Amino acid sequence: MRPFHYEHAADRAQALSLAAASADTHYLAGGTTLVDLMKLDVMRPATVVDINALARDHSEIALDGDHLRLGALARMSDVAEHPAVRRDFPLIAQSLDLAASPQIRNMASLGGNVLQRTRCPYFRDTHWAACNKRKPGSGCAAMEGVNRKLAVLGVSDHCIANYPGDFATVLAALGATVDVEGAGGRRVIAFEDLHRLPGDTPHVETTLKPGELITGFSVPAGSWTRRSLYLKIRDRQSFEFALASAAVALDLEGGNVRTARIGLGGVAAKPWRSHEAEAALQGHRLDEASARAAADAAFAGATAHGQNAFRIELGKRTLVRALIQTAKLET
Amino acid sequence: MAHDTGPKRGPSRRGILTGAGGVAALPLVAAAQPAAHPPAPGARPRMDITLTVNGRDHRVALDPRTTLLDALREHLDMTGSKKGCDHGQCGACTVHIDGRRVLACLTLAATVQGRKVTTIEGLARDGVLHPMQAAFIEHDAFQCGYCTPGQIMSAVACVQEGHANTDEKTREYMSGNLCRCAAYPKIVAAIRDAATKMARA
Ligand SMILES: Cc1cc2nc3c(=O)[nH]c(=O)nc-3n(C[C@H](O)[C@H](O)[C@H](O)COP(=O)(O)OP(=O)(O)OC[C@H]3O[C@@H](n4cnc5c(N)ncnc54)[C@H](O)[C@@H]3O)c2cc1C
Ligand code: SF4
Ligand code: FES
Ligand code: FES
């Protein structure tokens, strides 16, 4: 690991001013992404600002009218166990419960979680010269390499890395917003606008400005949030990233879809909401045929690169199963 | 020992094994933190920090890069916590911080100041094994034993969290601890047994 300056921020104001004081600063929350990638020499911050003391002000888990408020420093395990989250937003609890391991969930913060990096093997291993995300302009070793787990949606000719996280897939599906604060003040971003598609700049992953701090998330409750499910398909039963996942929330009236919210995980370049699948279901009776039609719409623009071709069909079947199971839930 | 600013002890088993008790103290430090990269301009090479481990305070001067796992093993001579992968993937380094199970390999030691760390060395009370330790022995829940300290620290927390009331739940909530010897069935049996004893205690 390269040497770095370690700074401890006592509060938000200090965190922001420490980050403004030097370029190349990274905030440190649970460290389960940052420390891992610093050991691999993939992330090389000159300064690390420990923001764990901000948990005092930014770890709320609360229903505020018709919104769920989640602080950026809330830990994955605490959110997953929270009774109001389990009751009113089952898919949020499930997406967290099914992620990583109990130890990691005790450490990891929601802010760090949504900013986790791809698990593309060439990104994580600096012995490979070609990785546009790690080294802009160097090429992409994954295009014709080991890409079984990489993305089929939202990819570009420059990068086919997948966004690996579970929770962010749900935030995208539910139309959450992100509270951000930086030198330029506070702003609220639609969660769908936080991550960027790779295009020809895969190294620029988010719309955050240097030094901006995520302080929390706001998730709107709706008539669809209680009838919801996060289904995760993976190589082993537990402690594994998704090969494909589906976040589904439904408002049904007599078997017909009034509102559908649909997110797809594991298969896309960024946390993915499928507006196409939602539109395909709107007003239709939910059955195998309409679920399949929605899945076909969701993956209509998918692109495969050899090894990962099977994940288009796997992604569709995952969504079909999630839709059918969600429709059967008692609420 | 040259690298240890903590309280002086007699020669440890590890010290003798590595030769660090006498002549060859430096290679041990070098192995823990390869000096492959020159210091960042103006970076503080050492930070004075206090680690509270198993109820005792230890003052150590550490490079900010030092993980809690390396601090325990290389600076405090507590080698019970194991380094399996060093990347969060195996659970061998599991310890408790303020009563919650976490991974020492992804925790920077500097972030642990003012918090209470419990390691496998701190589980026994007055020479009596913790019920989980006793159950692992009774049920033969290991072969090589390398994963065992992490398994036991994780299992104690798993029971305390209420995630060990069925075998199915135990398996799910112990999935962060890998065992290359595949002692899993016996680990589940040991946890089932210890959970009952911990509930009675
Ligand atoms: C072995 C392993 C298995 C895993 N399996 C899964 C899985 O199955 N599913 C899944 O979803 N995830 C999985 N993860 C990823 C894990 O969930 C993330 O590493 C974790 O959530 C990151 O949170 P953190 O608080 O530790 O982030 P950190 O490592 O502290 O930070 C990550 C990044 O976010 C930045 N950051 C952190 N907080 C803020 C903030 N408030 N504002 C601005 N920037 C911030 C940091 O600067 C850093 O760049 C796994 C991780 C490991 C190591
Ligand atoms: S897919 Fe993206 S992250 Fe992976 S090697 Fe190609 S450019 Fe790098
Ligand atoms: S050594 Fe920490 S998880 Fe493997
Ligand atoms: S007993 Fe050998 S790794 Fe678990």
Side-chain angles (χ1 to χ4, degrees):
Chain A
M1 196 190 295
R2 287 169 201 252
F4 57 86
H5 299 268
Y6 170 86
E7 301 285 356
H8 172 89
D11 54 29
R12 185 176 73 233
Q14 200 183 0
L16 290 171
S17 70
L18 283 166
S22 96
D24 225 355
T25 296
H26 276 270
Y27 294 121
L28 175 74
T32 62
T33 286
L34 185 59
V35 175
D36 181 27
L37 290 176
M38 285 169 69
K39 286 185 185 187
L40 293 172
D41 203 25
V42 171
M43 291 178 80
R44 302 166 177 181
T47 304
V48 167
V49 176
D50 177 359
I51 56 170
N52 285 291
L54 277 64
R56 240 190 341 267
D57 299 322
H58 299 289
S59 59
E60 75 271 22
I61 307 168
L63 272 175
D64 176 6
D66 56 357
H67 281 76
L68 176 66
R69 294 277 318 146
L70 296 171
L73 271 300
R75 305 293 154 173
M76 290 171 74
S77 53
D78 295 328
V79 180
E81 296 280 339
H82 197 279
V85 177
R86 295 187 92 80
R87 186 189 62 227
D88 293 343
F89 296 85
L91 77 176
I92 292 183
Q94 291 156 6
S95 73
L96 292 165
D97 264 339
L98 294 172
S101 70
Q103 292 96 315
I104 291 171
R105 297 196 294 269
N106 276 343
M107 302 167 73
S109 68
L110 297 186
N113 181 286
V114 303
L115 297 177
Q116 66 180 282
R117 314 290 301 274
T118 185
R119 309 294 289 195
C120 172
Y122 305 102
F123 174 71
R124 289 175 58 82
D125 185 345
T126 57
H127 293 97
W128 294 92
C131 173
N132 286 326
K133 190 185 274 300
R134 188 161 35 73
K135 215 165 153 225
S138 61
C140 170
M143 289 286 172
E144 290 173 1
V146 177
N147 58 33
R148 183 174 168 272
K149 295 185 176 178
L150 301 189
V152 293
L153 291 170
V155 297
S156 74
D157 292 343
H158 301 269
C159 178
I160 57 171
N162 66 332
Y163 175 82
D166 297 297
F167 170 67
T169 303
V170 175
L171 291 186
L174 296 182
T177 57
V178 194
D179 299 320
V180 167
E181 191 164 337
R186 295 183 191 188
R187 62 192 184 110
V188 179
I189 332 178
F191 189 78
E192 269 194 281
D193 297 335
L194 176 63
H195 294 82
R196 296 165 40 120
L197 286 175
D200 55 9
T201 53
H203 60 290
V204 189
E205 293 179 356
T206 73
T207 54
L208 292 177
K209 301 186 188 113
E212 271 189 327
L213 178 76
I214 296 179
T215 55
F217 305 91
S218 188
V219 193
S223 50
W224 50 89
T225 32
R226 276 205 186 189
R227 181 185 290 284
S228 67
L229 181 79
Y230 187 76
L231 177 65
K232 182 174 180 182
I233 305 296
R234 39 192 165 169
D235 277 333
R236 56 181 184 190
Q237 194 176 340
S238 183
F239 195 17
E240 184 56 277
F241 289 93
L243 285 175
S245 73
V248 169
L250 293 175
D251 179 6
L252 297 177
E253 192 181 33
N256 285 342
V257 177
R258 208 155 33 185
T259 309
R261 291 295 167 83
I262 295 172
L264 300 171
V267 290
K270 63 174 235 174
W272 197 263
R273 176 171 174 183
S274 181
H275 295 277
E276 298 81 3
E278 293 175 7
L281 282 172
Q282 179 81 41
H284 286 80
R285 182 156 201 86
L286 185 63
D287 54 22
E288 287 275 349
S290 64
R292 183 71 204 187
D296 286 340
F299 285 87
T303 318
H305 285 84
Q307 287 183 354
N308 69 358
F310 76 101
R311 291 194 22 269
I312 297 178
E313 182 57 24
L314 183 68
K316 290 183 187 180
R317 293 187 192 186
T318 304
L319 177 54
V320 170
R321 188 193 289 177
L323 285 166
I324 300 293
Q325 284 184 6
T326 309
K328 287 185 184 150
L329 289 174
E330 311 243 344
T331 55
Chain B
M1 299 191 321
H3 64 281
D4 190 354
T5 57
K8 288 280 166 271
R9 279 171 242 100
S12 67
R13 184 172 64 107
R14 183 182 166 82
I16 291 161
L17 282 174
T18 57
V23 281
L26 284 174
L28 185 59
V29 181
Q33 288 155 12
H37 301 288
R44 276 174 293 166
R46 298 272 159 190
M47 302 173 66
D48 288 315
I49 68 171
T50 302
L51 293 173
T52 308
V53 185
N54 302 328
R56 258 184 70 187
D57 285 353
H58 303 263
R59 280 197 66 73
V60 276
L62 297 177
D63 184 304
R65 289 173 286 182
T66 314
T67 61
L68 175 59
L69 183 60
D70 283 339
L72 290 168
R73 293 181 54 85
E74 310 292 346
H75 297 267
L76 302 182
D77 275 352
M78 294 187 192
T79 54
S81 308
K82 301 299 182 212
K83 186 181 283 192
C85 64
D86 215 18
H87 288 279
Q89 299 172 2
C90 75
C93 64
T94 304
V95 299
H96 298 181
I97 297 183
D98 293 337
R100 288 158 64 109
R101 50 174 159 162
V102 298
L103 300 174
C105 73
L106 292 184
T107 303
L108 292 181
T111 65
V112 181
Q113 290 212 79
R115 306 173 69 194
K116 291 192 177 67
V117 180
T118 308
T119 68
I120 189 73
E121 289 92 344
L123 271 196
R125 285 274 166 277
D126 306 321
V128 180
L129 292 182
H130 186 283
M132 192 63 76
Q133 292 173 301
F136 265 65
I137 294 172
E138 197 175 318
H139 290 269
D140 204 10
F142 46 82
Q143 289 185 40
C144 77
Y146 197 79
C147 71
T148 311
Q151 298 280 1
I152 290 176
M153 294 310 288
S154 198
V156 168
C158 187
V159 172
Q160 288 165 350
E161 292 161 7
H163 289 143
N165 33 22
T166 65
D167 286 358
E168 196 192 347
K169 248 186 153 176
T170 300
R171 278 191 285 269
E172 170 60 28
Y173 282 88
M174 286 296 292
S175 68
N177 292 83
L178 305 193
C179 175
R180 290 306 292 269
C181 303
Y184 297 114
K186 295 186 174 194
I187 292 172
V188 174
I191 295 174
R192 191 192 306 133
D193 187 11
T196 332
K197 290 178 179 146
M198 284 168 69
R200 265 188 256 131

